[in-house]
Amino acid sequence: KNCRFLIHPKYNIISNRNLEIPLKKSCFYITFYIGGGGNLRIIYNLLKKLLIENKNKKIKFLVILGPFSRNKSIILNLEKKYQNIKCIQNLENIVAIIKKTKIFVGTSGTSIFETAACNKPSILFKLSENQNTDIFSLENIGHYFFLDKKHLNSFNKLSKFLLILQKQYNRVKKIFKKPKIQIDFLGSERLVSQILENKINIKKEQNIKNASTPNNSKLPNNSKLIVRAVNDKDINHYLYCRNLKINLNNSTNTKKINELDHYLWWYTNKNRKSYILFRGTKKILYFYQEKLFKYEGKEYLLSGWFGCSKDCTIKEILHALNWQKNQTKKNQKWLSLIKKTNRFSIALSKYIGWFKIQNNDK
């Protein structure tokens, strides 16, 4: 009763103490850390797969061994066998390593703040119930890859994903910059200031806004319909909407897509172009086109869409389809795959002049 709660990312307690870590600037370091007392067997298979699959000698794997980590010996044995793995023990401050690493792989504990403060691309895992964080809250502080513990068993896919991120690193690092809430190293000073109720001079006070549902657009708040191309910051919202029950029921693929498969697809698919329709600042509808094949001088494109709001009406769908139609070139034709039970889409397709392909149509 009568307590004042200091609950906000700006009160995180992380140290920015500089430590001399002898790492080469020419190397691409991927760092693994599963907490001070985690079971290292969890990442053993992933590391082993990476050490075998990786052919780039400049890629080095750093493993931070916590003071109470279990199964240290199996990781230390890997270090003896492979030259491009290095174990780091008795580390007082992991920020010194994070600053020099390119990609961080670890738990979504306090390291979410340390990596966010360094704007470091990270793959975070939920290993315990108290790490069950909402992905859109993580996006607010600049994190976009969040996976469940079960995905650590998919070490073949995880290994592939990490090597893809390395190859597309210039693209990947862009989404981790300029988050809504910029994490810094001034949390301790803010806490002391609040506790003592003194005016302590904080040199680089940040203007930290309250967390909210992410909206990557700066569009005016009105009813105007606007289309923009999907960008990498839409990666989680795109999946969230695709997996909505109403979209699954109307899809030819009714199974939920998991995060890891989605991330892999996102960074490897080169044929699909996706767009999002806004009403003012509200996201209403995703729609896309995908190159299929060429036949008799015509280029055939797959057309599809799925809603991201209950406010999505025929008006918005028609606006998106007409926008798409206006981008069509003379040598392009559209195809769409529609579930037989999806009467709404069938009726809509007929309304805009599409026709059903017959069985004997070559």
Side-chain angles (χ1 to χ4, degrees):
K1 190 176 180 180
N2 299 324
C3 260
R4 180 172 51 175
F5 291 90
L6 303 180
I7 302 173
H8 195 277
K10 69 181 180 182
Y11 294 120
N12 75 82
I13 306 173
I14 52 176
S15 172
N16 194 25
R17 182 184 171 193
N18 287 321
L19 299 172
E20 285 300 319
I21 308 292
L23 297 176
K24 295 179 181 178
K25 290 184 179 180
S26 60
C27 291
F28 188 101
Y29 290 104
I30 300 175
T31 297
F32 298 82
Y33 179 60
I34 56 169
N39 187 347
L40 291 163
R41 189 170 289 280
I42 291 172
I43 59 168
Y44 173 75
N45 287 327
L46 172 59
L47 280 166
K48 200 172 177 183
K49 184 70 178 177
L50 281 165
L51 289 163
I52 295 169
E53 292 292 321
N54 174 46
K55 307 300 178 186
N56 187 341
K57 292 182 180 179
K58 288 188 176 181
I59 299 177
K60 305 291 182 184
F61 304 105
L62 304 176
V63 184
I64 301 173
L65 307 180
F68 305 107
S69 293
R70 288 165 285 162
N71 293 307
K72 289 182 184 180
S73 60
I74 60 174
I75 306 298
L76 291 168
N77 287 335
L78 284 179
E79 183 184 29
K80 292 174 184 177
K81 188 177 178 181
Y82 297 93
Q83 290 185 343
N84 56 341
I85 183 171
K86 180 179 176 64
C87 295
I88 300 169
Q89 299 190 70
N90 305 318
L91 191 65
E92 293 179 19
N93 178 12
I94 71 167
V95 170
I97 292 291
I98 291 171
K99 283 182 177 179
K100 295 190 176 184
T101 195
K102 297 292 187 183
I103 299 173
F104 177 87
V105 181
T107 58
S108 55
T110 55
S111 56
I112 68 172
F113 297 113
E114 290 155 326
T115 48
C118 299
N119 297 121
K120 200 61 61 177
S122 306
I123 301 175
L124 301 172
F125 289 90
K126 183 192 83 171
L127 296 188
S128 60
E129 284 305 313
N130 66 350
Q131 294 174 357
N132 191 15
T133 312
D134 173 65
I135 181 58
F136 299 119
S137 296
L138 286 173
E139 282 187 5
N140 280 316
I141 63 171
H143 284 303
Y144 285 84
F145 306 137
F146 185 46
L147 297 169
D148 199 81
K149 181 181 179 179
K150 65 182 180 183
H151 290 297
L152 282 164
N153 295 323
S154 304
F155 48 87
N156 289 327
K157 289 180 180 180
L158 265 177
S159 171
K160 183 180 178 182
F161 182 48
L162 270 167
L163 296 177
I164 287 169
L165 295 185
Q166 185 273 326
K167 287 179 182 177
Q168 299 189 42
Y169 189 70
N170 287 334
R171 171 186 173 183
V172 171
K173 66 181 182 181
K174 288 177 183 178
I175 65 170
F176 289 85
K177 292 181 178 179
K178 297 181 180 179
K180 279 193 170 185
I181 299 175
Q182 180 63 57
I183 301 300
D184 57 30
F185 298 96
L186 303 173
S188 298
E189 293 183 45
R190 291 190 186 97
L191 285 167
V192 172
S193 178
Q194 291 288 334
I195 292 166
L196 300 180
E197 295 187 334
N198 291 332
K199 291 186 178 180
I200 293 177
N201 180 30
I202 300 176
K203 295 177 183 177
K204 297 179 181 179
E205 179 63 61
Q206 299 286 344
N207 180 21
I208 299 179
K209 298 178 182 178
N210 291 326
S212 60
T213 303
N215 190 331
N216 299 319
S217 174
K218 295 180 180 179
L219 301 172
N221 188 18
N222 54 37
S223 59
K224 188 177 180 182
L225 296 177
I226 300 174
V227 173
R228 73 154 168 83
V230 163
N231 60 53
D232 286 341
K233 289 198 171 187
D234 297 311
I235 187 169
N236 291 301
H237 189 257
Y238 194 96
L239 176 65
Y240 168 78
C241 295
R242 170 60 182 80
N243 282 340
L244 287 173
K245 190 175 180 180
I246 189 170
N247 292 327
L248 290 175
N249 290 340
N250 290 323
S251 175
T252 51
N253 176 17
T254 57
K255 291 184 178 179
K256 275 193 173 185
I257 299 168
N258 72 58
E259 292 85 358
L260 182 54
D261 286 337
H262 175 66
Y263 295 158
L264 278 168
W265 170 82
W266 190 270
Y267 283 98
T268 55
N269 187 291
K270 295 179 181 179
N271 293 324
R272 179 176 290 196
K273 289 184 179 179
S274 296
Y275 303 89
I276 185 166
L277 176 71
F278 286 84
R279 188 197 299 126
T281 58
K282 190 174 180 66
K283 295 177 179 179
I284 302 295
L285 176 78
Y286 282 106
F287 61 104
Y288 58 85
Q289 64 184 56
E290 190 166 329
K291 291 181 182 179
L292 292 177
F293 54 82
K294 285 186 177 180
Y295 180 67
E296 293 185 348
K298 300 287 184 182
E299 184 180 46
Y300 284 83
L301 305 173
L302 176 70
S303 170
W305 58 269
F306 52 90
C308 47
S309 167
K310 289 180 180 179
D311 296 330
C312 181
T313 67
I314 291 176
K315 179 184 176 182
E316 283 80 24
I317 299 166
L318 286 175
H319 184 92
L321 293 175
N322 281 323
W323 184 93
Q324 197 173 50
K325 181 182 176 182
N326 291 335
Q327 311 300 312
T328 308
K329 297 176 183 177
K330 287 183 179 180
N331 68 327
Q332 291 179 327
K333 290 267 187 182
W334 291 101
L335 290 172
S336 187
L337 211 60
I338 302 176
K339 204 172 180 179
K340 287 182 178 180
T341 55
N342 191 351
R343 294 178 182 178
F344 173 75
S345 288
I346 292 171
L348 189 67
S349 298
K350 288 179 180 178
Y351 177 78
I352 61 173
W354 290 40
F355 60 89
K356 185 180 176 183
I357 297 174
Q358 304 301 321
N359 290 337
N360 60 350
D361 192 317
K362 60 181 178 179

